[in-house]
Amino acid sequence: MVNRRRQELVTRILKDPGLRLSLITEENCLPSYADTAAMASVTLVDDVQNLDSVRRATLKLLDRFTFDAIVGPAESSIPTAGYLRSYLGLPGIPFDVAHAFCNKNAMKARLNRAGLPVARRTLAPQDGSVADFLRRHGLPAVIKPVWGDGAANVHIVRDETDVTELSRPNGPLLRHDTAPFLIEDFVEVKEEYHCDGLVLGGEVRFAAVSKYTNSLLRAKGSAWGSYVLPEHIDEAKELAAVHRDVVRAMGLTDSVTHLEVFRTPDGLVVGEIACRPGGAGIPMALERAYGFDLWEHFLATELGYPLDWTPEPANGVFAYLMFPVRPGTVARVPGPDVFADLPQVEQLDITVKPGDRISGLLYSTSKAGMALVRVGSVGELPPLFATLEERFVVEYAEGALGADQ
């Protein structure tokens, strides 16, 4: 869904006769862009997170073009885009802010200095010191890459057995990422929220609060989703206030946001915030609930385009449900009419097909399909979601692949 939306927006931009687009990306990311032939130039680099490599590629392009704006459309490219803006003196999110939004340790340091509630953290700076720093921090804990998104390669560390397993060079942590890693206290999550907003001129102009059906860490391998809370209820107001404080602490002036917050027995704890659209079904749900097009607003703020928009709340409660995918070869998927008799289901996207081979590192947004629904009240969601999950079953061929193959 994210890639499709990004492709649609790039196509729309290319229709602007006054704008030329130069792309710097990695070869495996090219399919994310719809019509590279219409672009002024396409430059491939080995790693978009290598600041000097992208800087040198950009300087070569400056022999031919003058740049007015720089867009980083994915988590991995946001810090690089900020670096180029700061290096070239261009408008938009500068490097220090972009870096803090994507480097989880820098993010938590800013939030901590602002007095906002975050989990106690320790930085494991080298692969070989993961075990020592886990023991020093204390268990239970959560360890994750400092750079990363989609809850990928995030692990709960409960005991010494987990410490040993996660510190092995070929273990589940180090097989996919290299240090530094962020270690945080494992907090007891009673409820988990996300808040998605629009920031202009340093002020939050719009924010929508949603609640996840369950914690994302616990949801891996099972169906999960979220639903948009009515903005007038105290729960939504409480989370919107936290969102304003976090935006202020991070120093963001213009962008869209995606904030994760946990409710624990000791109160609210800020998880993470991103200066990009949220993933999964969040853009779909918010566009239906408020007419809030996350990707359009993100691109507009990156390019400095003005957008004349006001929220238009729609009747009902909007939610989405993600259907899980697991390693293996897909043998059978439900048909597009699997929910035809359920008027609450407004849209169904099926993202796998028979013969697909699922392997590698799975993200929180990895899915077999996703349903967008509208109901009259929150109380209608649990039985509806149970029905959807019961019907949407993906079958796999025998001899499923291991999770890391």
Side-chain angles (χ1 to χ4, degrees):
M1 173 58 67
V2 169
N3 284 348
R4 186 193 311 164
R5 187 69 182 130
R6 189 185 305 161
Q7 289 173 347
E8 291 171 354
L9 288 170
V10 170
T11 301
R12 187 188 308 171
I13 291 173
L14 288 173
K15 293 179 180 178
D16 183 345
L19 187 146
R20 293 183 300 174
L21 184 65
S22 290
L23 175 66
I24 300 176
T25 190
E26 300 167 16
E27 186 171 7
N28 62 350
C29 295
L30 277 175
S32 297
Y33 301 92
D35 189 6
T36 55
M39 296 181 182
S41 66
V42 176
T43 303
L44 298 180
V45 294
D46 291 336
D47 183 0
V48 295
Q49 292 183 305
N50 185 321
L51 302 183
D52 193 55
S53 175
V54 178
R55 178 186 66 87
R56 285 186 278 109
T58 303
L59 290 176
K60 287 183 180 180
L61 291 174
L62 283 170
D63 281 338
R64 302 161 53 198
F65 307 110
T66 298
F67 295 133
D68 298 307
I70 293 175
V71 179
E75 186 84 10
S76 59
S77 61
I78 287 172
T80 306
Y83 171 71
L84 291 176
R85 293 187 197 103
S86 295
Y87 186 84
L88 299 174
L90 292 175
I93 303 173
F95 177 63
D96 65 319
V97 176
H99 172 80
F101 267 92
C102 298
N103 180 306
K104 294 175 174 52
N105 187 58
M107 177 193 304
K108 299 301 177 68
R110 283 200 179 207
L111 298 177
N112 205 357
R113 286 195 297 269
L116 292 167
V118 295
R120 185 176 64 93
R121 75 190 192 283
T122 298
L123 187 69
Q126 301 290 331
D127 290 0
S129 59
V130 164
D132 290 341
F133 278 90
L134 278 169
R135 295 184 185 108
R136 190 180 305 177
H137 181 89
L139 306 181
V142 173
I143 187 167
K144 64 185 76 171
V146 163
W147 302 93
D149 64 330
N153 210 13
V154 179
H155 302 271
I156 301 173
V157 191
R158 296 181 174 85
D159 51 33
E160 185 62 28
T161 300
D162 289 341
V163 172
T164 301
E165 177 69 6
L166 291 168
S167 59
R168 286 193 299 110
N170 63 341
L173 178 71
L174 298 178
R175 184 158 54 243
H176 297 293
D177 287 286
T178 58
F181 295 100
L182 188 65
I183 303 167
E184 295 180 292
D185 285 349
F186 176 78
V187 297
E188 181 185 343
V189 178
K190 296 172 62 179
E191 295 169 312
E192 187 169 346
Y193 305 86
H194 61 88
C195 186
D196 302 85
L198 173 64
V199 181
L200 297 174
E203 298 295 327
V204 177
R205 301 298 179 89
F206 171 76
V209 177
S210 304
K211 182 184 287 189
Y212 286 111
T213 56
N214 53 0
S215 168
L216 292 188
L217 274 183
R218 294 196 297 263
K220 283 190 175 181
S222 61
W224 64 273
S226 72
Y227 54 93
V228 184
L229 296 177
E231 59 184 348
H232 63 273
I233 67 173
D234 291 342
E235 195 174 17
K237 293 178 180 177
E238 178 188 25
L239 271 293
V242 172
H243 175 260
R244 284 194 301 271
D245 292 340
V246 171
V247 167
R248 187 177 301 114
M250 294 298 293
L252 185 66
T253 55
D254 298 278
S255 191
V256 301
T257 58
H258 174 67
L259 171 70
E260 306 272 348
V261 181
F262 312 118
R263 188 180 298 281
T264 76
D266 298 321
L268 295 178
V269 173
V270 176
E272 300 173 3
I273 186 170
C275 55
R276 55 156 176 81
I282 294 170
M284 278 198 313
L286 294 185
E287 189 162 7
R288 285 293 290 113
Y290 291 105
F292 182 41
D293 189 324
L294 275 164
W295 278 100
E296 185 174 35
H297 281 86
F298 170 75
L299 205 54
T301 55
E302 294 277 279
L303 293 173
Y305 283 11
L307 279 180
D308 184 15
W309 174 82
T310 55
E312 297 181 1
N315 293 326
V317 175
F318 292 89
Y320 67 90
L321 187 68
M322 303 262 290
F323 302 106
V325 68
R326 66 173 176 82
T329 300
V330 177
R332 191 189 74 84
V333 298
D337 59 349
V338 62
F339 304 135
D341 61 323
L342 298 173
Q344 305 96 317
V345 179
E346 293 197 344
Q347 182 174 330
L348 172 63
D349 290 334
I350 301 174
T351 52
V352 297
K353 63 183 183 301
D356 283 352
R357 187 174 181 269
I358 311 300
S359 63
L361 190 63
L362 297 180
Y363 293 77
S364 62
T365 51
S366 300
K367 61 187 181 298
M370 180 168 59
L372 174 70
V373 307
R374 178 172 64 171
V375 293
S377 67
V378 171
E380 298 174 45
L381 287 173
L384 175 61
F385 280 175
T387 298
L388 300 185
E389 187 173 3
E390 181 181 356
R391 289 193 192 181
F392 197 97
V393 176
V394 177
E395 297 178 6
Y396 296 82
E398 293 184 7
L401 297 169
D404 296 306
Q405 288 184 278

